[in-house]
Amino acid sequence: MELFIAELSSEDTTLTMYSFMGTQSTAPTDKVNTVCKALIDSVADNVIPWLNTLISCYVKIEDVSTGLSKLKSLYSTYPTETEAAIKYMLILTDDDTLFNHALGTHDLDLVLLVAQHTQKDPKEYMLFLNELQSYDEVYRKFKIDEHLGREKYAIQHLMCCEGRFEEVCEFVTKHSLHSTALQHYLFGTDQYKTVGTCLLFCLKGRVKWRRLVFCLDSVRS
């Protein structure tokens, strides 16, 4: 079954390999996703014997994070099978990819579970995980998304942290996320005006006059 999943492709063979038969295509537009999701649903009630099939499907449809979360939910009851599935997942991906996907779930227990089966140096990842553990939950999510280069997600978490508005302004300016921040803060508030002022400095000297005039009006209000 794993080989079948690995060789799945979006190619419609009725239009390529068997085009000479003149058959009209009835294949779904997204064959790989359709087949993999059907397989995932079919093993949902008896997943342990089919863990490798399940994992193969999640990797094939590039939904590794969901696959990892599924394994985490099984770990307390089936630790041996779950760890074997993680090792199999590492064969299908690689250490860094799987570690980053685990990190993207914001579940440090899951990250540690995955990291222990990689070739990564424990001294390095434990130092990093301990640093993340020292933060409150929301700021931890910001630091994780920042580390993964997911700035648009990171700023949403950072703006929800109390006492970190100066850091918000620095991050917004660094990654040009002024529009995102302006949508978050209420119009006319001090935070809105400060972000607007930061945007003015970024736009200064650029040919973006309509946007500049709008910001000037907003900040002065």
Tab-separated table of all heavy atoms in Angstrom, residues 6 11 29 46 77 125 142 147 169 189 203:
chain	number	residue	atom	x	y	z
A	6	ALA	N	3.139	6.055	-2.744
A	6	ALA	CA	4.342	6.762	-3.183
A	6	ALA	C	4.316	7.034	-4.683
A	6	ALA	O	4.825	8.057	-5.153
A	6	ALA	CB	5.579	5.954	-2.812
A	11	GLU	N	-1.332	12.617	-12.795
A	11	GLU	CA	-1.479	12.341	-14.222
A	11	GLU	C	-2.782	11.593	-14.512
A	11	GLU	O	-3.136	10.636	-13.825
A	11	GLU	CB	-0.310	11.487	-14.716
A	11	GLU	CG	-0.395	11.110	-16.180
A	11	GLU	CD	0.676	10.119	-16.600
A	11	GLU	OE1	1.442	9.656	-15.727
A	11	GLU	OE2	0.736	9.803	-17.801
A	29	THR	N	-10.339	15.973	-10.394
A	29	THR	CA	-9.357	16.998	-10.745
A	29	THR	C	-8.146	16.954	-9.825
A	29	THR	O	-7.058	17.373	-10.214
A	29	THR	CB	-10.007	18.397	-10.672
A	29	THR	OG1	-10.583	18.580	-9.375
A	29	THR	CG2	-11.079	18.541	-11.733
A	46	ASN	N	-9.501	1.930	12.711
A	46	ASN	CA	-8.572	0.847	13.046
A	46	ASN	C	-7.183	1.244	12.567
A	46	ASN	O	-6.573	0.582	11.718
A	46	ASN	CB	-9.025	-0.460	12.381
A	46	ASN	CG	-8.206	-1.654	12.825
A	46	ASN	OD1	-7.693	-1.685	13.944
A	46	ASN	ND2	-8.063	-2.633	11.946
A	77	THR	N	-1.197	5.705	24.360
A	77	THR	CA	-1.769	4.350	24.324
A	77	THR	C	-0.898	3.375	23.541
A	77	THR	O	-0.791	2.197	23.902
A	77	THR	CB	-3.174	4.386	23.687
A	77	THR	OG1	-3.978	5.378	24.335
A	77	THR	CG2	-3.860	3.032	23.825
A	125	TYR	N	19.117	21.240	20.249
A	125	TYR	CA	17.661	21.404	20.254
A	125	TYR	C	17.097	21.538	21.663
A	125	TYR	O	16.079	22.196	21.860
A	125	TYR	CB	16.965	20.302	19.456
A	125	TYR	CG	16.966	18.902	20.013
A	125	TYR	CD1	16.215	18.547	21.128
A	125	TYR	CD2	17.676	17.881	19.366
A	125	TYR	CE1	16.193	17.241	21.619
A	125	TYR	CE2	17.654	16.576	19.835
A	125	TYR	CZ	16.918	16.271	20.964
A	125	TYR	OH	16.890	14.982	21.445
A	142	PHE	N	4.699	33.101	18.983
A	142	PHE	CA	5.341	34.127	18.158
A	142	PHE	C	6.777	33.733	17.826
A	142	PHE	O	7.190	33.780	16.660
A	142	PHE	CB	5.335	35.477	18.872
A	142	PHE	CG	6.369	36.435	18.341
A	142	PHE	CD1	6.240	36.992	17.073
A	142	PHE	CD2	7.497	36.746	19.093
A	142	PHE	CE1	7.210	37.852	16.567
A	142	PHE	CE2	8.470	37.602	18.594
A	142	PHE	CZ	8.330	38.154	17.335
A	147	HIS	N	10.803	31.941	14.050
A	147	HIS	CA	11.891	31.018	13.726
A	147	HIS	C	11.639	30.291	12.407
A	147	HIS	O	12.564	30.058	11.624
A	147	HIS	CB	12.049	29.999	14.865
A	147	HIS	CG	13.041	28.922	14.586
A	147	HIS	ND1	14.407	29.106	14.720
A	147	HIS	CD2	12.886	27.624	14.160
A	147	HIS	CE1	15.042	27.993	14.404
A	147	HIS	NE2	14.138	27.084	14.053
A	169	CYS	N	6.234	47.065	16.848
A	169	CYS	CA	6.616	48.095	15.871
A	169	CYS	C	7.901	47.718	15.141
A	169	CYS	O	8.011	47.906	13.915
A	169	CYS	CB	6.786	49.443	16.570
A	169	CYS	SG	5.229	50.129	17.202
A	189	THR	N	-6.675	54.765	17.844
A	189	THR	CA	-5.975	54.490	19.105
A	189	THR	C	-4.508	54.878	18.979
A	189	THR	O	-3.983	55.077	17.880
A	189	THR	CB	-6.076	53.008	19.481
A	189	THR	OG1	-5.452	52.217	18.438
A	189	THR	CG2	-7.526	52.582	19.642
A	203	LEU	N	7.308	54.826	3.821
A	203	LEU	CA	6.824	55.291	2.520
A	203	LEU	C	7.510	56.574	2.062
A	203	LEU	O	7.461	56.923	0.894
A	203	LEU	CB	5.314	55.536	2.588
A	203	LEU	CG	4.420	54.308	2.803
A	203	LEU	CD1	2.969	54.744	2.903
A	203	LEU	CD2	4.603	53.314	1.676
